Amino acid sequence: MLLEVEALDLRYGATHAVRGVSLSVAEGEIVAVLGANGAGKSSLMRAIAGAAAASGRIRLAGSDISRMPAARRVRAGLVLVPEGRQIFVSMTVEENLLVGAHTRRDRAVARDLAAVLERFPNLAARRGQPAAVLSGGEQQMLAIGRALMARPRLMMLDEPSLGLSPILVAQLFDLIAALNRQGIAILLVEQNTQMALETAARGYVMELGRIRTSGSAAELARDPALADAYLGAAAP
Ligand SMILES: Nc1ncnc2c1ncn2[C@@H]1O[C@H](COP(=O)(O)OP(=O)(O)OP(=O)(O)O)[C@@H](O)[C@H]1O
Ligand SMILES: [Mg+2]
């Protein structure tokens, strides 16, 4: 297993946001994490990334990273594209991309920057402009481009499709599939359950901080309980 999470627990004062969550991602796999607002999905991602203190065990490619600071987890190949993109709007597009490489010690950063700009022509056209000028879709590309600059083995994406038009959502999922074919494992948090289950091999459904159910994408897509709760059926 590339990522193994065991009995992860995270509290914010009285709020018990993540309760004994265990999950895994195999090398080269796409795994979805689904669940309603407030279920604890972002908290789980932040805990795995080391951005929030949590108890439990996290292993990356067999090594225990539970006590590792966030920057070292990035260097080990674990990178989070956070909810809401969190790009630096007053910095240029290129500066934002270079932020993604700040933990690296090797000399191939310039080459990787060129590759990311080649992959995202819209970003290349605006590389010297402040990131504030980017559209929502371009900002999401920038957040993913920044993550790629860390040369991840596992990319965690927290609601990347949020606020994007249907065409951009389709392009985003194509991009996720392309990154995966390139060898990057993906842990994908999504409210767009249908797209997520079309792209992922397996999924977990969170409810009130716990894993309520898990299975293959096909099994989850057929689960009538999930259809009511998460697959777009209107709430009563
Ligand atoms: N920094 C924080 N301080 C206190 N409580 C928090 C904090 N962040 C999240 N919470 C609470 O923890 C719980 C889980 O929140 P979290 O953001 O992880 O959910 P989520 O599944 O990502 O939701 P959404 O789909 O709306 O993004 C919620 O009850 C939320 O109010
Ligand atoms: Mg969230």
Side-chain angles (χ1 to χ4, degrees):
M1 279 295 160
L2 180 58
L3 178 72
E4 290 167 282
V5 172
E6 229 179 273
L8 205 70
D9 227 81
L10 188 164
R11 292 168 191 270
Y12 307 103
T15 305
H16 199 172
V18 179
R19 307 176 181 221
V21 167
S22 298
L23 60 76
S24 62
V25 180
E27 197 87 49
E29 199 177 25
I30 303 182
V31 174
V33 175
L34 311 172
N37 292 119
K41 307 178 300 294
S42 296
S43 301
L44 173 64
M45 295 300 110
R46 285 199 296 269
I48 296 172
S55 65
R57 195 186 300 280
I58 306 165
R59 282 195 198 82
L60 187 69
S63 305
D64 191 331
I65 61 164
S66 313
R67 305 282 162 269
M68 235 185 222
R72 279 192 57 208
R73 297 187 199 195
V74 173
R75 236 183 296 160
L78 181 62
V79 57
L80 171 64
V81 179
E83 190 174 8
R85 288 86 158 147
Q86 310 294 339
I87 61 172
F88 300 104
V89 289
S90 60
M91 288 166 55
T92 67
V93 167
E94 180 172 322
E95 285 164 350
N96 269 277
L97 291 172
L98 290 172
V99 166
H102 82 281
T103 61
R104 284 174 54 179
R105 299 278 182 274
D106 62 283
R107 290 166 189 219
V109 171
R111 202 176 65 211
D112 288 354
L113 177 65
V116 167
L117 291 171
E118 193 175 329
R119 187 192 279 272
F120 301 115
N122 286 16
L123 298 184
R126 291 165 185 75
R127 66 190 285 178
Q129 294 177 43
V133 307
L134 300 180
S135 70
E138 289 166 348
Q139 291 191 10
Q140 186 59 68
M141 296 304 124
L142 180 58
I144 292 173
R146 179 181 59 187
L148 284 173
M149 290 298 295
R151 291 200 168 183
R153 301 174 71 176
L154 175 67
M155 191 183 286
M156 301 192 287
L157 295 150
D158 192 351
E159 300 207 23
S161 77
L162 203 70
L164 301 187
S165 70
I167 290 172
L168 289 179
V169 170
Q171 285 175 7
L172 171 74
F173 279 90
D174 285 347
L175 170 64
I176 291 170
L179 296 175
N180 181 247
R181 282 195 300 275
Q182 184 185 309
I184 301 172
I186 308 276
L187 187 59
L188 175 65
V189 170
E190 262 299 334
Q191 298 265 350
N192 192 331
T193 309
Q194 195 186 336
M195 290 296 272
L197 291 179
E198 280 172 22
T199 308
R202 290 190 301 118
Y204 296 86
V205 180
M206 284 189 81
E207 192 175 88
L208 299 173
R210 291 194 172 83
I211 303 293
R212 168 176 153 169
T213 181
S214 63
S216 72
E219 281 163 4
L220 292 179
R222 279 196 304 268
D223 188 330
L226 299 185
D228 290 345
Y230 308 114
L231 297 185

